[in-house]
Each structure stands twice: as structure tokens, then as C-alpha cells.
Amino acid sequence: MIEADVIVIGGGAAGMMAAGRAAELGARVLLLEKTDGCGKKILISGKTRCNLTNTADIKNFIAMYGPNGRFLHGVFARFFRPELLSFLEKHGLETKAERGGRVFPVSDDARDVVRVFQKYLADQKVRIIFNQRVSSVRVDEHRRFIVRTESGYYFSPAVIIATGGASWPATGSTGDGYNISASLGHKIITPKPALVPLAVREQNLARSMQGVSLRNVRATAFQGFAADVDASRTPECDYGRGEKKTPRPPVLESRFGEMLFTHFGLGGPIILLMSLTVVEAMEKRPVSILIDLKPALSGEQLRKRLQSDLNKFSKRKIAGILKEYLPSKMIRPIIDIAGLDVEKPAHQVGAAERDRIIDLFKALRFNIKEPLPLARAIVTAGGVALDEIDPRTLSSKKVTGLYFCGEVMDLDADTGGYNLQAAFSTGYVAGESAAGFSKSLPRS
């Protein structure tokens, strides 16, 4: 029989911080990790560079989590970016801020972050047992937790669930914490993919442009079928999580920046940012995305420019003219949708054909079929309901001695370091709280 003052289930960012902090406060800590190593999701975050946090001020930081962000006020008051960066610096890791306020290790190597936590856990004498998938957690008649794995039972008065979400299952996040939490009486908000690419119904069109990466475009999600959308409703500013303005229906969200076409549909930064809004809206009605390929120019400005080029280079084929406007792999698909002959010379392009090209420049339309599966998402939305967790201590309101941290809770944010900061911060507070609770109990 193995006993501990605190058992942490899950060795990701939140779990490692929780285990280390609890042990730092004098608790005997046991960390159970289902894979053969800790911090596997850290290793792939930020394209293996590990986007640790963000320099945004606290108000804008919390806005990135949507309505549930208010839950983090108390947590961030105890452990936020300054404390995280101080902790990392104390353990020998230098950091730097880049575009968009993203903070990375100076080394650009996520392995250095994992090494910090490995040393932290070792210094605090945290006992780690790998390859331990927890199958159940129950409370005995002495109000002690019995944690069961395939290889045995572990006992503790305090348990921290830090199992992550259900994204990137190869890292160990397979949704185990939802079943464990539900078995202990907690409500689970249905997990959904967030920060996930989107499959479209116009798959052949997307595939024909596969690999094309676009910069400085605007993608806008609308409620309704693409053919029914009035493209003039496309906004000129961003709407979405973290933005100050609220869109008017049928606009759901709008983002300016980079995206790409894939063999199944749409991906890239602005599509990922919009994806959760799209996923939630699709539960009610169809959703479409219109892409403004030339948001810096009005339709009329584009019309004049294109007509000028058609006149100036009248003997060129239309495909040659469009090389000045589009990546080469997009030219044929746009010409085909506009109903033009690819060999048609510029001087034969009529006003109606020109206008169809302009319409496609300003509103390339896609009907969203579905998001990629949850396992392909960067982040899981949903999880243990926050109204059943004390925001001051991250303790369960239903089961004494039970704590939560990280992505297993109904907390998710946009890209930019926000999700990892929440993991580290909630892990710190959960570890501190669990250690305090355990130490308060009478010793037998």
C-alpha cells in the first residue's frame, strides 16, 4: 500500500506545478502519470518552442478565456505572469517576448521548460510513478481517497485531478479526468474541439488550393448558408474572444491575419481562433465562412484596378492578369468559379465576368461541414463545470479534499500563451490548497 499526503493525477504543465508546489510546502506528494514521461504536451506547444505566457495586461489576458475567464481572477491574483517568469528565472530559464506578446524560452526549446520542472520535482522529492493510468477514484468510509490503477491502489486525503483535456491523445490527454470527475459527482460540460481546423463542404475547391498560405486576409464566420450571406455585412474590424466589440447577427466572428487551405478545408491562425465559435454555432444552424482576399481595398477600388489592368494588358490571358492578385495555385480555381475560359484574353473579359472575379476576391465562400475531431484540436473546450469548483482554492464543492487544475476544467483560451499560463497558475494554487488541507488534518 502506497500512501501520500497529496496525490496528483497527471504530469502535464498543471500537474507538475501542482505536485511541486504541494511538496514545497511540506506535503508528501505522489504524482501518477499515465505515459512514460511528464510534460509531453509542453514539448509540442508553440511548435516545440513552448509559448509560456503573454505580456497582455490582466484585463485583456482574462478576456482571452471568454465568459469563463472571470473564474481566474483569484487564481491570477496569487500566481500570474510575473510569478511564473520569476519561478522560471530562479530555476535557470531565461525568457523573451515576441510579436503579439508571446513569451518563449530564449533557447526556443520546449525541452528546457520540461527540464526546469523535472528538477523542481526532484528537488522537492516528489515521487513520480510512470505508466499509471488511473481507472477510478473513490472515497472510503474514512474520507480517504482510494486511487486505482492497473498495477495497484494508492491512498491519500487529498487528490488533484490534472489530467488535461481530450486533445493530442498521444501526449496522454484522452479525457480520463472527465470520467473520474463524473464518478465523484461532478457535472461535465460536453468537451468540444477548440483551436481546430475546419472541414468544408466545398472540399474539391479547398483541395485544389491545398498548401496555399494567405496573409493579410479577413475571414468572417456567418450563421447561415454561404450562398445566402450578404457579403456587404463583412466587418472591417475584428470580432471575437478578446475583442471589445460584439458582432451583429448573422456575423459570428471575424479575424484578420493568416490562414491556409488544406485538403479538407481551412486552417491557419485566424481559422483556429474562430473555430470554437463556429463549432458552437453549428449546434443550432449551418455556418459559413467568407474570405476577403483583399480587405485593404473596397470592391469599387478593386474593380477600377482590375479594369485598368485589363485595358493596359489587353492581349494577356486572364490567368496572366490574375498573377498580380493571387497566388498561382489559386488562379485556376478562381477563374473556374467565375465561369471564365482560362485562355481568354483580357480585352474579351466583359463587365459581368470582371464583377464575378471581384466578388470572389471580396467573398470566397465556404460552407463549414464540421471541425476536425477533438483529438486533432490544440485545446479542449468544456470539462468540469466551474460552478462546482471554488475559484479561491480550486477545491471541489462536492467532495472534500478533491482539487482540479488545468485543462480538465471548463477553461480554454485563444493561442498566445494563455492556456499554458492558466495551467501553471491553476496548478500552483491547487497544489498550495491541497497541501494546506492535508496538513490541517489530524495525524493518526
Side-chain angles (χ1 to χ4, degrees):
M1 182 174 73
I2 297 178
E3 293 187 271
D5 296 329
V6 176
I7 292 178
V8 180
I9 304 174
M16 288 193 295
M17 180 64 89
R21 181 56 179 161
E24 193 172 12
L25 294 175
R28 294 175 303 138
V29 179
L30 173 64
L31 173 58
L32 300 176
E33 165 55 37
K34 71 182 290 187
T35 71
D36 59 1
C38 289
K40 292 199 169 184
K41 201 166 185 181
I42 289 177
L43 293 173
I44 62 172
S45 67
K47 298 179 179 177
T48 73
R49 295 175 61 216
C50 191
N51 185 185
L52 293 157
T53 184
N54 197 283
T55 61
D57 61 52
I58 187 68
K59 180 179 179 182
N60 290 319
F61 209 106
I62 283 179
M64 290 300 177
Y65 302 88
N68 286 353
R70 66 175 74 94
F71 179 86
L72 289 169
H73 275 290
V75 169
F76 284 166
R78 290 170 64 180
F79 190 89
F80 188 46
R81 178 183 58 245
E83 290 77 18
L84 173 63
L85 298 183
S86 176
F87 167 85
L88 295 171
E89 183 181 5
K90 175 183 173 183
H91 289 86
L93 187 76
E94 295 183 62
T95 58
K96 61 181 178 179
E98 296 186 0
R99 181 172 60 91
R102 289 169 166 82
V103 177
F104 295 90
V106 167
S107 65
D108 287 328
D109 191 342
R111 290 175 296 183
D112 290 338
V113 180
V114 174
R115 289 187 190 107
V116 165
F117 280 95
Q118 288 173 334
K119 186 175 185 304
Y120 180 47
L121 296 175
D123 289 347
Q124 303 306 324
K125 297 180 172 52
V126 173
R127 181 175 182 180
I128 307 173
I129 306 180
F130 296 112
N131 301 306
Q132 295 291 304
R133 181 182 179 276
V134 173
S135 56
S136 69
V137 177
R138 63 184 180 86
V139 183
D140 66 13
E141 64 273 16
H142 305 294
R143 295 188 177 181
R144 181 181 61 168
F145 289 98
I146 304 175
V147 179
R148 180 182 180 183
T149 71
E150 293 175 354
S151 60
Y153 295 86
Y154 305 90
F155 303 86
S156 178
V159 164
I160 301 174
I161 298 180
T163 50
S167 309
W168 296 98
T171 66
S173 297
T174 54
D176 296 350
Y178 305 140
N179 294 331
I180 295 169
S181 302
S183 72
L184 293 168
H186 274 273
K187 178 174 63 178
I188 306 300
I189 306 303
T190 303
K192 303 182 185 72
L195 301 178
V196 66
L198 301 171
V200 300
R201 297 196 177 279
E202 297 79 5
Q203 188 175 5
N204 289 337
L205 173 59
R207 187 184 293 115
S208 71
M209 300 183 289
Q210 179 181 348
V212 173
S213 180
L214 300 174
R215 300 180 65 183
N216 301 321
V217 298
R218 176 167 295 282
T220 304
F222 290 88
Q223 192 89 67
F225 292 108
D228 299 333
V229 171
D230 178 359
S232 68
R233 301 291 296 273
T234 298
E236 296 181 357
C237 61
D238 283 5
Y239 290 109
R241 181 181 287 188
E243 301 297 329
K244 296 178 181 178
K245 296 183 178 181
T246 302
R248 294 181 180 178
V251 174
L252 298 169
E253 189 161 335
S254 186
R255 299 282 184 174
F256 174 85
E258 301 176 23
M259 62 158 290
L260 60 87
F261 294 104
T262 69
H263 67 282
F264 54 79
L266 311 176
I270 60 176
I271 299 299
L272 296 182
L273 289 177
M274 297 167 57
S275 60
L276 180 58
T277 295
V278 171
V279 169
E280 292 177 338
M282 287 182 70
E283 295 174 357
K284 302 172 185 176
R285 289 177 53 204
V287 174
S288 57
I289 288 182
L290 272 58
I291 302 168
D292 185 346
L293 301 171
K294 302 292 179 183
L297 299 173
S298 68
E300 187 55 36
Q301 288 172 322
L302 265 176
R303 190 171 287 106
K304 289 179 179 179
R305 177 180 164 185
L306 181 57
Q307 187 58 60
S308 174
D309 287 343
L310 292 171
N311 293 337
K312 185 176 180 180
F313 306 106
S314 61
K315 294 184 179 180
R316 282 190 190 176
K317 294 175 183 177
I318 183 61
I321 298 289
L322 294 187
K323 285 182 180 179
E324 303 299 321
Y325 295 80
L326 297 169
S328 58
K329 202 170 182 179
M330 290 186 70
I331 293 173
R332 182 61 184 263
I334 292 294
I335 288 175
D336 288 346
I337 300 172
L340 277 72
D341 181 349
V342 71
E343 299 292 326
K344 197 166 195 174
H347 70 271
Q348 291 183 10
V349 175
E353 294 170 319
R354 179 203 61 200
D355 288 347
R356 288 201 294 273
I357 293 173
I358 298 301
D359 288 344
L360 290 169
F361 282 174
K362 297 299 290 180
L364 186 57
R365 299 167 186 257
F366 291 93
N367 290 285
I368 304 305
K369 180 182 179 183
E370 60 191 0
L372 292 196
L374 182 53
R376 297 281 299 276
I378 295 175
V379 172
T380 305
V384 179
L386 298 182
D387 61 0
E388 297 179 350
I389 303 172
D390 185 332
R392 299 165 299 173
T393 62
L394 300 182
S395 61
S396 166
K397 293 180 180 179
K398 290 179 168 288
V399 183
T400 302
L402 181 65
Y403 299 82
F404 301 93
C405 60
E407 202 177 341
V408 72
M409 300 186 291
D410 184 21
L411 279 170
D412 67 278
D414 289 345
T415 57
Y418 305 102
N419 288 293
L420 264 182
Q421 178 68 64
F424 292 131
S425 294
T426 56
Y428 184 93
V429 171
E432 198 169 73
S433 301
F437 170 76
S438 180
K439 287 168 67 177
S440 73
L441 297 175
R443 299 294 177 179
S444 56

